[in-house]
Amino acid sequence: MSVTISESVYQAILSQALADAPLESCGYLLGPDGETVTEHFPMTNIDHSAEHFSFDPKEQFAAIKYARRNGLTVVGNWHSHPASPSRPSEEDKRLALDPNILYFILSLADEKPVLNAFRVKDGEVTEKIPLR
Ligand SMILES: [Zn+2]
């Protein structure tokens, strides 16, 4: 499979990540099916940390409710790595509990931002998903 992410969503998460840096930023990515991202639901990193992130459970609930109400599916969630590469950390893998969604990581470590998507199962990356 591959995932298509709209340019406007990409620009939105990039702006949010840049604004929140050096802290990690995060959000949900929604679309009409599991392979197309057309909407971004920004979330608060309640850890306010440069190396960790946690969602606010209330916002998570709101995101899922919003998706349902608008006939959208949760393609995955994303978070930024302000100073490390675009791949899941050991902690990211441990906390990626849902094998049915994708985990997007936007790295700002290099001059050019890098976005990758992964599927994680039982604490291991099982797939790196090509993005278009
Ligand atoms: Zn991470």
Side-chain angles (χ1 to χ4, degrees), residues 24 53 79 81 89 92 105:
E24 288 195 7
F53 81 102
H79 70 282
H81 279 178
S89 66
D92 289 337
I105 298 177

Side-chain angles (χ1 to χ4, degrees), residues 21-129:
L23 303 182
E24 288 195 7
S25 197
C26 56
Y28 267 38
L29 297 173
L30 314 172
D33 57 56
E35 300 182 7
T36 316
V37 176
T38 53
E39 285 199 46
H40 163 228
F41 196 98
M43 310 272 279
T44 311
N45 175 5
I46 58 170
D47 288 347
H48 301 292
S49 160
E51 287 165 9
H52 309 270
F53 81 102
S54 297
F55 291 126
D56 177 341
K58 270 189 212 141
E59 287 182 358
Q60 264 183 304
F61 184 72
I64 289 161
K65 211 165 118 182
Y66 173 85
R68 262 191 217 140
R69 196 186 303 134
N70 292 281
L72 299 168
T73 145
V74 175
V75 182
N77 65 49
W78 73 278
H79 70 282
S80 65
H81 279 178
S84 59
S86 173
R87 56 170 181 262
S89 66
E90 289 308 311
E91 186 186 41
D92 289 337
K93 286 188 263 184
R94 199 160 43 76
L95 297 176
L97 296 174
D98 188 347
N100 298 313
I101 64 167
L102 301 178
Y103 293 87
F104 294 75
I105 298 177
L106 176 60
S107 170
L108 306 175
D110 294 326
E111 208 168 309
K112 194 175 184 301
V114 180
L115 178 66
N116 285 312
F118 304 89
R119 191 178 300 281
V120 183
K121 203 179 169 207
D122 300 326
E124 295 298 331
V125 173
T126 56
E127 213 180 338
K128 184 176 167 186
I129 312 291

